Amino acid sequence: MHRRLIVALIAVALLFAAADLALWHRAHELKDLQSRWDALAATVSVDPPRFRPEMVASLPAPARRYLARAIASGTPLRSTVRLEIAGQIAARPGGRWYPFSADEILVPGRGYVWRARMHGAPLAYGRTETYLDGAGRRSVTLLGVLPWRRRHGADASAVNRALLALQSIWDPASLLPFRGVQWKAADPGRAVAILDIDGRAIPLNLEISPRGELRSASVRCPRRGVPDARFALHVDEQMRADGYRI
């Protein structure tokens, strides 16, 4: 009996130690996440240039249609985007879908921080993704504090770099030629924007209607074991915000 009590006390002590370690890791992770958010938020365009149609006059026809429709003439071409997102998400492929909400700060070509929480999911599932200074990280927590899954290193950086490229559509100004983007036409309804992210050329494929509406966007994301991986999105509706149509 005495031995069982000692074993039980040791087990409880180990459980508390593990909980303390998890809380310490989570606090460190949140501090790092906030520092990345603040670094991106500090990317402020002072007296940014304003959009003029002649900025896209030399581009291939589909790219010209898209950008001329996406950015109203005279719109300040700022470089930071703040997003509030709501929708449905699955914790894993083929899994149950749950409502989620997220906020994000995005500086196309440089980095992003995405913070999301699933609503109604067991164990209060939360997720964060970041990319900054060439490094990507992905984290999943349970009960808001317990680390469940972390990803970093070359694969996580490749995935998040591709997602950063794909999210350029949230800031059409980031796709203008003066930002260093090169364009080529694949056919009358498709264009490819070549983005330079941390010294890597990443093609962003856009499908564009005759009126200049964005219909879809995709980017390749080859990584270990999945050489043909690709991220893609399809556009059902667009909205206007601050002189942009996204």
Side-chain angles (χ1 to χ4, degrees):
M1 180 71 178
H2 181 68
R3 182 176 296 175
R4 290 181 179 176
L5 180 59
I6 292 175
V7 171
L9 290 174
I10 291 173
V12 170
L14 290 173
L15 181 63
F16 275 103
D20 283 342
L21 183 61
L23 290 172
W24 181 86
H25 276 296
R26 182 57 176 162
H28 179 75
E29 185 177 68
L30 289 174
K31 183 178 179 181
D32 179 70
L33 198 69
Q34 188 61 49
S35 70
R36 287 172 167 246
W37 185 288
D38 293 342
L40 292 170
T43 309
V44 178
S45 302
V46 179
D47 192 22
R50 294 177 178 270
F51 180 69
R52 304 185 312 276
E54 53 267 31
M55 288 179 170
V56 298
S58 63
L59 294 182
R64 187 170 64 249
R65 291 198 309 271
Y66 163 60
L67 290 170
R69 187 176 192 274
I71 313 173
S73 182
T75 297
L77 302 174
R78 297 186 174 89
S79 56
T80 304
V81 179
R82 288 285 303 271
L83 297 169
E84 293 184 359
I85 308 163
Q88 290 191 325
I89 192 171
R92 61 183 183 277
R96 180 178 173 184
W97 290 77
Y98 292 96
F100 86 99
S101 59
D103 62 347
E104 180 176 10
I105 187 166
L106 167 70
V107 179
R110 186 179 178 210
Y112 72 96
V113 175
W114 183 78
R115 306 180 293 198
R117 175 173 288 268
M118 293 171 66
H119 305 291
L123 302 179
Y125 177 99
R127 180 167 182 161
T128 61
E129 296 181 4
T130 73
Y131 182 90
L132 184 64
D133 297 331
R137 302 178 188 175
R138 307 163 76 84
S139 176
V140 175
T141 58
L142 302 178
L143 300 177
V145 294
L146 299 177
W148 180 36
R149 188 180 301 154
R150 288 194 180 101
R151 296 286 186 270
H152 57 85
D155 273 1
S157 296
V159 168
N160 289 14
R161 190 181 300 113
L163 286 171
L164 174 61
L166 185 64
Q167 292 186 91
S168 296
I169 65 167
W170 302 134
D171 179 19
S174 70
L175 298 173
L176 290 168
F178 85 93
R179 293 277 170 84
V181 178
Q182 299 179 22
W183 284 89
K184 61 181 181 180
D187 60 43
R190 292 184 301 156
V192 181
I194 311 298
L195 311 180
D196 184 340
I197 300 179
D198 294 318
R200 298 172 184 264
I202 302 180
L204 174 64
N205 301 281
L206 303 178
E207 182 184 3
I208 300 160
S209 78
R211 294 176 54 196
E213 299 161 323
L214 181 63
R215 288 177 169 169
S216 69
S218 66
V219 62
R220 289 187 66 246
C221 180
R223 56 190 186 274
R224 185 174 52 197
V226 195
D228 297 323
R230 178 180 296 272
F231 291 119
L233 59 83
H234 297 274
V235 180
D236 294 322
E237 295 182 28
Q238 291 186 301
M239 61 173 286
R240 294 178 183 271
D242 300 328
Y244 295 95
R245 193 191 303 263
I246 58 175

